[in-house]
Amino acid sequence: MPPRVSDVMTVEPQTLPLDATLYEAARIMRDRGIGDVLVTYAGRLCGVVTDRDIVVRAVAESRDTSLTPLGDVCTAELTTVRPYDDTGTAARLMAEQAVRRLPVVDDEQRPVGIICIGDLAVSDGHVGPLTEISKAPPNN
């Protein structure tokens, strides 16, 4: 039986409120060596913004990152998983939705974690390039 999402997810994901700026999100991503920040409204998940979103939807459009709120560029239509889902479900959803990461939410839609392809590679015990890359520290 595959492990549960809660066994392999990153806990305490980085979150920012919907009205935070792209600049704030970019600094968190840089300082933490991550590629995404979960976006919340009243503590509930309402979107995700990635480093690619900032580049493609803001910088390439000449938006001022210190003034543009996350709500203007984040992805709001999300696929999520619960901590008690199995990793097979997470892998299937990633493949179906063509995404590399899934927010993990509780029953009230509050973010409790995030699971990415690398977490799945490490969890199933396979040895290979993705597993090794996933274990390596970020290169800032």
Side-chain angles (χ1 to χ4, degrees), residues 10-99:
T10 299
V11 295
E12 298 180 14
Q14 293 298 301
T15 64
L16 282 173
L18 190 62
D19 59 352
T21 65
L22 294 174
Y23 174 75
E24 292 172 88
R27 287 188 55 115
I28 286 174
M29 289 180 207
R30 181 201 63 198
D31 294 348
R32 304 284 175 134
I34 58 176
D36 60 87
V37 171
L38 300 181
V39 182
T40 60
Y41 179 76
R44 290 184 168 79
L45 182 69
C46 66
V48 63
V49 65
T50 66
D51 47 5
R52 187 173 192 283
D53 292 331
I54 293 172
V55 171
V56 173
R57 297 179 183 171
V59 175
E61 299 295 325
S62 297
R63 292 181 185 235
D64 185 338
T65 60
S66 64
L67 298 176
T68 304
L70 297 178
D72 286 2
V73 300
C74 72
T75 300
E77 293 187 26
L78 301 174
T79 301
T80 62
V81 290
R82 307 270 191 222
Y84 47 77
D85 289 333
D86 64 62
T87 56
T89 298
R92 180 182 52 78
L93 288 170
M94 285 181 188
E96 288 174 0
Q97 299 299 316
V99 296

